[in-house]
């Protein structure tokens, strides 16, 4: 990515300084606490100071946002509030399905949250599912040690811009010992071209709590570009268990940038599921910190690209204390001229004895012009550990295809079954059938 290509993205109305000043003014009017405003200012200073990331940065060496014209984006587009599902776009309604009611629902369109719903019985038990803006007004002291504490405002210019422009988003809190049977659903939607969203999500589980949270990013393909810059911070308390799904199914015009951070305390368990199906260019950085003895993180995800889609996923498994476990498996299937980049590291700190960590990346190429780059790595500073990693890149197994076609299946149907089987270990972990059905339909549409 050349500096000149990125320079052409800057002429937003009033310049980037105008965006940042307007974001701060809006946050002040919304009643944001002083500490949150101070963090916005810190991020704004970094956004003005840092260059746009390019090939000189290792994590941007293989991904180019040069075609993203920020000057065409409208970060202030606001949809009207929704009184219920009937006021939402048809794409969101279809996604939510007709199944059991969620334990909580937050729907964001572009830069604003338009719908919040939490059953009264869960509110009575202390469960919070709210827009981040409302949570900052009503529970600011509670969020002070959560919002922004896991994120690096100077990671790159997009990270700083996201934290300074933060709009919408959600706060989820499940108190000690509370178990939620139904999932909490957080839906992000972009309305057509020139839409821009900067949501931030904070999820906190108290000691011994149990919950499932699905963050779903969806839109329809539009003629012009749109931009999503998101941030997610997850805190899993002692002996708590969280299933978190980050499910990206944008329209083909969306540039997607996100940073995701998770902290798991003693005896806690995090099951992290992430899928990438849509978008034009996707850049995601996910980091998991195991900070208490016996903490566990299981990370499973897949990418399926066609046409000229580009997916770039970086992960970091951080083992900071003794007797922690992480297991990561990322899969990608690619056709046409699609490309995936997976770069991941297992990092074991000094003294983190008894670490058990695994990392695997499997890639399936469905076209000779598709490309997958896989860069796993280990950084081990303890001597009593078990850490392994591996990566594969290959084509569809000819014996599997022959077996299926010999039983009467056309080649395309046989390929569809092979790809669905390749993704099944991830799909089966998603706890909502309507979501699984939409993902399967998207996979089938890509196969043709």
């Amino acid at each position: 990515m050349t500096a000149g290509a990125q320079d052409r993205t800057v002429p937003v109305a009033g310049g980037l300084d105008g965006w940042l000043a307007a974001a701060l003014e809006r946050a002040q009017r919304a009643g944001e606490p002083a500490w949150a405003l101070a963090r916005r200012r810190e991020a704004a200073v970094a956004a003005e100071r840092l260059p746009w990331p390019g090939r000189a940065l290792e994590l941007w060496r293989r991904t180019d946002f040069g075609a993203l014209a920020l000057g065409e984006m409208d970060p202030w587009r606001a949809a009207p509030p929704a009184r219920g599902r009937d006021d939402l776009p048809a794409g969101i309604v279809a996604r939510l399905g007709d199944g059991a009611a969620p334990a909580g629902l937050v729907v964001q369109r572009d830069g604003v949250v338009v719908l919040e719903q939490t059953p009264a019985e869960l509110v009575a038990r202390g469960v919070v599912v709210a827009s981040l803006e409302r949570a900052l007004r009503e529970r600011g002291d509670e969020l002070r040690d959560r919002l922004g504490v896991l994120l690096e405002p100077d990671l790159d210019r997009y990270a700083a811009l996201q934290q300074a422009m933060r709009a919408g988003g959600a706060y989820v809190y499940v108190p000690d010992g509370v178990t939620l049977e139904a999932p909490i659903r957080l839906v992000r939607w972009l309305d057509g071209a020139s839409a821009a969203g900067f949501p931030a999500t904070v999820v906190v589980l108290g000691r011994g709590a149990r919950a499932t949270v699905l963050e779903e990013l969806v839109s329809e393909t539009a003629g012009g570009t749109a931009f999503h810059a998101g941030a997610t911070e997850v805190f899993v308390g002692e002996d708590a268990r969280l299933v978190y799904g980050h499910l990206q199914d944008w329209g083909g015009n969306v540039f997607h940038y996100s940073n995701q951070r998770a902290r798991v305390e003693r005896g806690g368990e995090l099951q992290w599921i992430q899928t990438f199906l849509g978008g034009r260019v996707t850049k995601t950085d996910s980091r998991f910190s195991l900070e208490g003895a016996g903490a566990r993180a299981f990370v499973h995800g897949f990418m399926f690209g066609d046409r000229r889609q580009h997916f770039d996923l970086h992960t970091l498994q951080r083992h900071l204390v003794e007797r922690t476990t992480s297991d990561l498996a990322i899969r990608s299937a690619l056709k046409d001229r699609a490309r995936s980049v997976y770069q991941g590291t297992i990092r074991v700190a000094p003294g983190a004895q008894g670490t058990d960590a695994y990392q695997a990346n499997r890639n399936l190429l469905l076209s000779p012009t598709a490309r997958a780059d896989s860069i796993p790595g280990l950084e081990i500073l303890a001597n009593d550990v078990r850490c392994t990693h591996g990566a594969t890149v290959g084509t569809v197994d000819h014996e599997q295809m022959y077996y299926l076609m010999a039983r009467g299946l056309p080649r395309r149907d046989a390929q569809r079954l092979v790809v669905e089987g390749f993704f099944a270990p991830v799909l089966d972990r998603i706890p909502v059938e309507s979501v699984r059905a939409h993902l399967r339909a998207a996979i089938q549409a890509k196969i043709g």
Side-chain angles (χ1 to χ4, degrees):
M1 182 188 310
T2 64
Q6 280 295 356
D7 286 346
R8 289 196 293 273
T9 70
V10 182
V12 294
L16 187 60
D17 290 349
W19 270 24
L20 299 173
L24 183 60
E25 181 183 349
R26 286 167 174 262
Q28 289 174 323
R29 290 204 307 266
E32 198 165 283
W35 62 263
L37 294 172
R39 290 179 189 174
R40 278 189 190 269
R41 293 189 186 97
E42 178 186 358
V45 170
E48 293 170 332
R49 172 178 53 85
L50 292 168
W52 295 108
R55 297 191 189 280
L57 296 178
E58 176 59 30
L59 292 183
W60 284 88
R61 191 178 300 278
R62 300 163 185 85
T63 296
D64 188 351
F65 266 22
L68 172 61
L70 283 179
E72 299 174 2
M73 302 296 104
D74 180 6
W76 316 123
R77 186 186 298 179
R83 291 168 294 182
R85 294 192 184 190
D86 292 343
D87 295 331
L88 299 173
I92 299 179
V93 175
R95 185 83 182 203
L96 292 173
D98 298 322
L105 174 65
V106 176
V107 178
Q108 177 168 343
R109 292 180 66 180
D110 299 334
V112 296
V113 170
V114 297
L115 182 64
E116 303 175 57
Q117 293 180 341
T118 309
E121 60 270 22
L122 295 183
V123 174
R125 296 171 65 189
V127 175
V128 178
V129 182
S131 70
L132 187 61
E133 182 178 282
R134 179 165 69 86
L136 281 168
R137 290 196 307 267
E138 299 176 0
R139 315 177 74 94
D141 290 343
E142 191 174 307
L143 275 161
R144 185 168 190 162
D145 294 330
R146 303 296 186 182
L147 177 62
V149 300
L150 301 183
L151 298 168
E152 309 85 350
D154 58 352
L155 179 67
D156 59 48
R157 196 173 195 181
Y158 288 110
L161 181 63
Q162 189 282 326
Q163 293 178 56
M165 294 291 297
R166 174 176 43 79
Y171 174 52
V172 174
Y173 171 68
V174 183
D176 295 353
V178 172
T179 295
L180 302 183
E181 301 298 336
I184 294 168
R185 302 183 68 174
L186 313 175
V187 181
R188 320 286 190 218
W189 177 270
L190 292 176
D191 280 304
S194 302
F198 298 88
T201 299
V202 177
V203 178
V204 181
L205 263 63
R207 180 180 300 174
R210 303 284 188 273
T212 296
V213 179
L214 298 182
E215 183 179 15
E216 303 166 62
L217 304 99
V218 290
S219 69
E220 298 173 346
T221 298
T225 58
F227 181 50
H228 166 89
T232 302
E233 296 172 276
V234 169
F235 301 83
V236 181
E238 291 187 7
D239 299 317
R241 184 178 185 274
L242 173 66
V243 178
Y244 197 94
H246 178 87
L247 313 176
Q248 189 267 82
D249 193 11
W250 294 124
N253 63 308
V254 178
F255 283 76
H256 171 104
Y257 173 90
S258 64
N259 287 301
Q260 302 160 334
R261 305 289 184 264
R263 175 188 293 170
V264 186
E265 303 294 344
R266 182 183 62 82
E269 179 179 304
L270 172 66
Q271 290 196 34
W272 187 277
I273 306 162
Q274 50 191 34
T275 65
F276 303 95
L277 287 170
R280 179 174 171 179
V281 181
T282 293
K283 182 82 173 76
T284 295
D285 188 323
S286 303
R287 308 187 184 193
F288 311 94
S289 297
L290 303 172
E291 301 196 1
R296 302 176 300 279
F298 303 93
V299 182
H300 299 270
F302 69 72
M303 303 172 268
F304 189 5
D306 62 359
R307 302 184 302 277
R308 290 180 175 271
Q309 283 184 293
H310 182 104
F311 300 108
D312 185 333
L313 172 62
H314 170 257
T315 66
L316 175 61
Q317 298 152 255
R318 300 176 67 230
H319 293 260
L320 301 175
V321 298
E322 72 282 355
R323 294 184 293 106
T324 56
T325 301
S326 69
D327 186 327
L328 179 144
I330 302 295
R331 301 178 176 222
S332 73
L334 305 164
K335 61 180 292 190
D336 304 328
R337 301 186 70 85
R339 181 181 180 185
S340 70
V341 178
Y342 171 72
Q343 186 168 354
T345 302
I346 296 171
R347 182 176 296 161
V348 181
Q353 309 295 356
T355 288
D356 186 350
Y358 178 70
Q359 181 187 101
N361 177 223
R362 296 181 59 194
N363 301 280
L364 185 63
L365 302 183
L366 305 177
S367 302
T369 50
R371 174 177 172 179
D373 295 338
S374 187
I375 312 162
L378 300 174
E379 298 178 12
I380 302 174
L381 300 176
N383 56 16
D384 180 16
V385 303
R386 183 172 62 179
C387 297
T388 57
H389 66 78
T392 61
V393 179
T395 57
V396 173
D397 189 296
H398 294 294
E399 291 187 2
Q400 290 181 344
M401 291 290 290
Y402 176 81
Y403 177 87
L404 293 169
M405 293 174 66
R407 280 149 182 78
L409 284 177
R411 174 174 291 275
R412 184 166 292 176
D413 288 346
Q415 189 181 71
R416 175 180 57 80
L417 287 177
V418 170
V419 174
E420 287 182 354
F422 182 68
F423 288 148
V426 181
L427 286 170
D428 291 346
R429 291 174 177 268
I430 298 171
V432 179
E433 174 54 35
S434 64
V435 175
R436 292 196 299 270
H438 275 276
L439 293 176
R440 290 193 185 100
I443 290 169
Q444 292 173 10
K446 282 179 176 287
I447 293 172

